[in-house]
Amino acid sequence: MLRRWLSIRQEGTVRARSGIAVPEETKVVSARELMGLVDVARGVHLGCDVAGLTVGESHFYLLLPHVYEVAPVPAWRCRVIAFYGGLSAEMGEGERMGLGRLDIAVDDYRRLRPAPRKVERQLLHWLAWKAVEAVRKAAEDQ
């Protein structure tokens, strides 16, 4: 087990908010890939909470690992961020998002394609705007 953990740590990592070293690459999956990962997770009794997500071909799904799990198999616990309508910069487009959780076996996670750098940068801007909107809305509600 220690050997596998060391091999994980040798990959490019960043620190999660918890302080745990996690893979630095954000992964992007299609709706079909997401449902396949959900089926695998349920089949091997990994954690999965995607009940609140809407799955559709026009949606965009990112996987962000935040915790390493050992049992029942070595896996990354990931946040699933669903962008309904994609990461659009157009007014009124892509304004909704959903959140879920999905544990993905380490080997399966490695095989997923990384998000392009442009998508990661767009995600940063998109989330910054969402944070500003949330703060503004909270101030208006008070």
Side-chain angles (χ1 to χ4, degrees):
M1 186 56 63
L2 179 60
R3 186 174 183 203
R4 180 177 287 276
W5 176 249
L6 289 175
S7 72
I8 291 168
R9 292 192 54 118
Q10 290 171 356
E11 299 171 3
T13 61
V14 295
R15 294 266 175 219
R17 185 173 178 191
S18 64
I20 295 173
V22 298
E24 68 182 348
E25 290 182 326
T26 301
K27 302 291 184 163
V28 60
V29 295
S30 67
R32 186 177 61 236
E33 289 171 314
L34 178 66
M35 294 315 296
L37 291 167
V38 167
D39 290 343
V40 169
R42 289 179 176 153
V44 294
H45 305 291
L46 288 171
C48 176
D49 181 13
V50 293
L53 295 180
T54 303
V55 178
E57 289 302 318
S58 66
H59 305 328
F60 186 76
Y61 304 93
L62 290 173
L63 302 172
L64 301 169
H66 63 95
V67 173
Y68 178 74
E69 297 283 329
V70 178
V73 297
W76 287 111
R77 179 178 290 177
C78 297
R79 293 276 179 232
V80 179
I81 306 175
F83 294 92
Y84 303 128
L87 280 171
S88 177
E90 299 296 321
M91 292 298 291
E93 296 290 323
E95 292 187 357
R96 291 181 40 240
M97 71 184 238
L99 299 172
R101 194 200 90 200
L102 180 61
D103 295 356
I104 303 172
V106 169
D107 293 334
D108 291 340
Y109 186 84
R110 284 184 180 141
R111 284 191 285 268
L112 296 172
R113 67 189 160 127
R117 185 169 303 279
K118 183 176 180 178
V119 168
E120 287 183 338
R121 298 226 191 287
Q122 190 172 1
L123 171 65
L124 179 62
H125 286 274
W126 202 90
L127 291 174
W129 276 104
K130 283 296 191 184
V132 169
E133 288 174 5
V135 169
R136 187 176 303 146
K137 183 176 183 203
E140 289 172 359
D141 291 345
Q142 289 183 350

